Amino acid sequence: MINSSKPLILFFGYGSEYSLHSLYRYMCGLGDNCVEVDMLTHPNVVGELKKICGKPIIFVTSAHFLYDDRNFFYYKTHRKMISVLQVISTLRPVVSVYYPHDLKDPIKEEEMPYLPLFDLFLSPLPNLQYLEKYLPVINVGWIKCVSGHARVMPDSFNPSRAVFFTGAYQYYLNAGMDFFYQEYKPLFDAGIAVKMPLWHDNDLFEDFLRQREVKVYPSNANSIDVMKENEVMFTQALSSVNVEASGLGKKVVYIKSDILDYKSPEKELEYFENIMYVDSPSAAAILDRGSILNNIPSISYFDFVKARESIMTCFENRMVLK
């Protein structure tokens, strides 16, 4: 039951690009009026948004601003896609808050002109203060990084203590599951596990790999928790996982690809000096673990108290001005 004396807080996103669930749960636990819309799983996105239209809303999102049914075509989802900008235009929230789901590209270049539409930027990293020229920025740490550790799989599940994080899931979904399996078979034959992002058709892809005796971590598991259980992370495609794993101080091996690397990975990830780069899955599979250096830990735990206080203070200040 929604308490009409309080603002309604809408948490909004899509699949692996929705990173706000733990904040949603935290604020629900404190009695805040919260609604969660993950467009990958919500049964009636349009109906939910219509139901809350006209209420005093705090809009909190981790989704890219411009994705909608028209320009989300590459991902071939049958789910209803509504852009962040459309939500802001239609619901006219009292406060709009952005928290990135991607540490590699927190803000895409084409999204920069739209930042002033938001009232608050909750930053996962301390090096994003330059965005203050567009809107207030509060550093609250990385939302997947919390104190304690919820074990994902038993200790005996992955003796290799190495995991391949797929950074180009849709590309391989389009190319075919067997294509993916054959390309990375050297890793799987070496006992290296795999973790997919949370996206549509995950269950089919994961079942396909398990049938071939590949060790598969659940796609809905927190990537940070998976990393904490392991020592070496194999990455690709300039994904956020590179920053997460390096920021945790893990050993990171980047598998380069002429097709998937739209920019130079060495240049894009130059801040992390100890990432090792290889040219193929075969080269990655035979690496001497002793030759891979740990990165320097740099990620901060998420501050739930600070995040909530920043959101609610922003709302209160806006209401005073009305």
Side-chain angles (χ1 to χ4, degrees), residues 42-261:
H42 198 285
N44 186 2
V45 174
V46 173
E48 187 67 58
L49 297 181
K50 284 183 177 179
K51 186 167 64 176
I52 64 176
C53 188
K55 299 180 183 295
I57 293 171
I58 298 174
F59 177 50
V60 188
T61 186
S62 58
H64 286 303
F65 305 165
L66 304 176
Y67 282 161
D68 58 15
D69 283 340
R70 179 182 301 176
N71 55 28
F72 208 63
F73 67 91
Y74 173 77
Y75 296 100
K76 296 184 177 179
T77 177
H78 300 295
R79 305 294 302 176
K80 179 65 178 175
M81 286 297 303
I82 299 175
S83 77
V84 166
L85 299 185
Q86 184 177 347
V87 173
I88 293 175
S89 174
T90 303
L91 297 186
R92 301 179 65 85
V94 177
V95 165
S96 295
V97 181
Y98 183 61
Y99 180 86
H101 71 272
D102 186 347
L103 295 185
K104 168 61 182 61
D105 293 308
I107 298 289
K108 291 181 176 292
E109 184 177 351
E110 61 269 24
E111 294 173 328
M112 296 292 280
Y114 301 98
L115 268 178
L117 294 176
F118 291 83
D119 303 284
L120 178 64
F121 181 88
L122 294 180
S123 177
L125 300 169
N127 63 348
L128 298 175
Q129 295 301 126
Y130 71 93
L131 295 174
E132 286 183 336
K133 63 184 177 181
Y134 297 102
L135 76 174
V137 176
I138 304 293
N139 182 23
V140 293
W142 182 224
I143 198 164
K144 293 183 182 180
C145 193
V146 297
S147 58
H149 169 53
R151 186 151 196 99
V152 178
M153 300 296 285
D155 188 58
S156 59
F157 171 73
N158 183 23
S160 74
R161 296 293 181 266
V163 185
F164 171 45
F165 287 83
T166 308
Y169 173 77
Q170 188 65 48
Y171 169 78
Y172 289 109
L173 188 61
N174 294 347
M177 299 177 193
D178 191 62
F179 178 87
F180 172 81
Y181 172 71
Q182 294 298 332
E183 182 168 348
Y184 293 98
K185 193 172 185 296
L187 296 182
F188 305 143
D189 287 347
I192 295 168
V194 66
K195 164 74 168 65
M196 301 279 187
L198 181 60
W199 215 243
H200 53 270
D201 292 336
N202 273 127
D203 52 345
L204 300 176
F205 217 135
E206 291 177 343
D207 287 346
F208 176 87
L209 294 173
R210 289 189 180 104
Q211 289 169 12
R212 285 148 184 81
E213 299 185 350
V214 178
K215 296 178 178 65
V216 181
Y217 280 92
S219 59
N220 62 355
N222 184 340
S223 57
I224 293 287
D225 288 336
V226 174
M227 292 174 191
K228 286 180 178 179
E229 294 178 11
N230 293 282
E231 298 171 1
V232 183
M233 313 303 140
F234 293 89
T235 66
Q236 63 167 187
L238 289 171
S239 72
S240 180
V241 168
N242 294 284
V243 182
E244 287 182 304
S246 299
L248 280 180
K250 294 294 183 176
K251 296 181 177 184
V252 179
V253 178
Y254 187 102
I255 303 172
K256 297 198 293 184
S257 167
D258 291 337
I259 296 174
L260 302 177
D261 293 335

Side-chain angles (χ1 to χ4, degrees), residues 252-319:
V252 179
V253 178
Y254 187 102
I255 303 172
K256 297 198 293 184
S257 167
D258 291 337
I259 296 174
L260 302 177
D261 293 335
Y262 54 92
K263 294 180 181 178
S264 165
E266 291 93 340
K267 184 175 181 180
E268 290 294 301
L269 299 169
E270 62 184 354
Y271 178 80
F272 303 102
E273 298 179 355
N274 290 339
I275 293 179
M276 179 175 284
Y277 298 90
V278 296
D279 292 324
S280 68
S282 297
I286 61 173
L287 278 175
D288 174 11
R289 299 282 180 88
S291 67
I292 310 170
L293 300 178
N294 286 85
N295 284 277
I296 300 172
S298 58
I299 285 183
S300 300
Y301 286 112
F302 189 75
D303 191 332
F304 287 92
V305 174
K306 187 176 182 181
R308 180 185 180 275
E309 287 181 350
S310 299
I311 292 170
M312 301 310 289
T313 298
C314 186
F315 174 79
E316 291 164 5
N317 291 341
R318 288 291 175 186
M319 292 302 290

